[in-house]
Amino acid sequence: MVSKACEHGIRAVIYIAAQSFEGKRAKIADIVQHSGSPEAFTAKVLGELTKHRIIQSHTGPRGGFEMNAEKLKTVHIGHIVQAIDGDALYINCGLGLSQCNAMYPCPVHDKYVIIRNEIKEMHITTTIFELAMAYRSGKTVLSR
Amino acid sequence: MVSKACEHGIRAVIYIAAQSFEGKRAKIADIVQHSGSPEAFTAKVLGELTKHRIIQSHTGPRGGFEMNAEKLKTVHIGHIVQAIDGDALYINCGLGLSQCNAMYPCPVHDKYVIIRNEIKEMHITTTIFELAMAYRSGKTVLSR
DNA sequence: TTAAAATAAGATAAAAATATCCGAAATAGA
DNA sequence: TCTATTTCGGATATTTTTATCTTATTTTAA
């Protein structure tokens, strides 16, 4: 569905958001301890998300990753998927045809477009903030 | 979403079904010409589908692949996905957790389960026969 | 000014997915 | 029985994804 890199990224950002909500920065070692992701690989992904300005990073003692108030409010899953995996999930054909559209549809086109749009809609309407709050409250978990 | 192997397999089976409907067997060279898939790789996938008794194969001259009347009626996309990709798509966690469930849900669990079930439902309710008919009529295409 | 604490970036490694190749086995038909 | 045709099955190759390692660079507290 989404790549492993993307899964690691989303889990990491949820943790970062939860920390940011408490005014704390999150360091890599801390993030991967709570999200159960591999450290070096997650660092790569977070670097990418920093470039895309989805999160912010600070070097040096007391550094780490954080989300500012604006990002904390506005970032949703779709932003992260887009940054890491690109838009393949949202636009690719369900049967792998490179040019499949309403004019020349593959046999599953009509049904697939509906699902694809629901996934996109779900990603866009699911904010990191709401996920971070659910994590913070203990209602949901990030690693298992 | 589904693997390339699975996409090649579904397209191939749609073509085989359309041929079977006309009482003809389909050979690999013919299948890949119409489905635009790589020959050797598709042969591998079809071997797997034969083992799972989704299609039937015959060696020798006038051989090839076919679907008998019963399979032509009953096989749906879910059967092929299950045979090639297993049930990962239908049961895996949306954030990659190995143990995520209603009791210990990941932050996207509730929303993801809905989408996952819709995909499964779509796969189960979409028969190869209906896709083969849509292909045969020219309403849909298998390669582009 | 310096050492500590952190990210950044590039090289490398391992694993999985995708794809190819080729000899063996089966079969229909002459 | 011989031959041409076709799938089968195992070995191999390539590409992509996932992951690690090493070194450099930045920042900041003391």
Side-chain angles (χ1 to χ4, degrees):
Chain A
M1 194 72 124
V2 302
S3 68
K4 289 282 174 202
C6 207
E7 291 175 354
H8 295 319
I10 294 170
R11 300 213 305 277
V13 171
I14 290 172
Y15 180 75
I16 292 166
Q19 291 297 101
S20 290
F21 184 72
E22 298 183 2
K24 299 177 191 163
R25 285 177 181 166
K27 352 182 204 215
I28 273 282
D30 205 27
I31 293 167
V32 299
Q33 190 189 331
H34 288 87
S35 68
S37 291
E39 180 163 333
F41 192 43
T42 301
K44 269 274 153 62
V45 173
L46 291 181
E48 204 57 42
L49 294 177
T50 302
K51 268 190 207 154
H52 280 80
R53 318 225 178 233
I54 288 170
I55 55 179
Q56 297 163 287
S57 73
H58 298 271
T59 59
R62 326 228 46 170
F65 293 96
E66 68 182 6
M67 293 180 84
N68 63 33
E70 188 242 330
K71 294 297 180 188
L72 197 50
K73 259 194 303 187
T74 59
V75 171
H76 52 64
I77 294 188
H79 287 127
I80 300 175
V81 174
Q82 178 76 238
I84 305 300
D85 289 350
D87 52 13
L89 177 62
Y90 305 137
I91 69 174
N92 277 3
C93 167
L95 288 186
L97 304 193
S98 54
Q99 293 175 270
C100 161
N101 52 55
M103 188 69 189
Y104 296 100
C106 80
V108 304
H109 183 77
D110 291 354
K111 293 183 179 188
Y112 188 72
V113 165
I114 294 172
I115 294 281
R116 216 176 53 184
N117 285 340
E118 283 175 358
I119 292 170
K120 187 172 187 177
E121 186 67 15
M122 189 261 273
H123 284 183
I124 289 177
T125 58
T126 305
T127 65
I128 293 301
F129 184 77
E130 91 185 65
L131 300 181
M133 292 306 108
Y135 167 64
R136 221 172 79 90
S137 75
K139 281 206 260 291
T140 66
V141 300
L142 278 183
S143 74
R144 242 162 84 80
Chain B
M1 195 74 121
V2 302
S3 67
K4 289 281 173 203
C6 207
E7 292 175 354
H8 294 319
I10 294 170
R11 299 214 307 275
V13 172
I14 291 172
Y15 180 76
I16 292 167
Q19 292 297 102
S20 290
F21 184 73
E22 297 183 3
K24 299 176 191 165
R25 285 178 180 167
K27 351 180 208 227
I28 275 281
D30 204 26
I31 294 168
V32 300
Q33 190 189 331
H34 287 87
S35 67
S37 290
E39 180 162 332
F41 192 44
T42 301
K44 268 276 147 66
V45 174
L46 290 182
E48 204 57 43
L49 295 177
T50 301
K51 269 189 205 154
H52 281 81
R53 315 221 179 238
I54 288 171
I55 55 178
Q56 297 162 288
S57 71
H58 299 271
T59 58
R62 325 229 54 179
F65 294 94
E66 68 183 6
M67 294 180 85
N68 64 31
E70 188 241 330
K71 294 297 180 186
L72 197 49
K73 260 194 300 186
T74 59
V75 170
H76 52 64
I77 294 188
H79 288 128
I80 300 175
V81 174
Q82 178 76 236
I84 305 299
D85 288 351
D87 52 14
L89 177 61
Y90 305 137
I91 69 174
N92 277 3
C93 166
L95 288 186
L97 303 192
S98 53
Q99 294 175 271
C100 160
N101 53 53
M103 188 68 188
Y104 297 101
C106 80
V108 303
H109 183 77
D110 291 354
K111 293 183 178 188
Y112 188 73
V113 165
I114 294 172
I115 294 281
R116 217 175 53 183
N117 286 341
E118 283 175 357
I119 293 171
K120 187 172 188 175
E121 185 67 15
M122 189 263 272
H123 283 183
I124 289 177
T125 58
T126 305
T127 65
I128 293 301
F129 185 77
E130 92 185 63
L131 300 181
M133 290 306 108
Y135 167 64
R136 219 173 79 90
S137 74
K139 282 206 259 292
T140 66
V141 300
L142 278 184
S143 75
R144 242 161 83 81

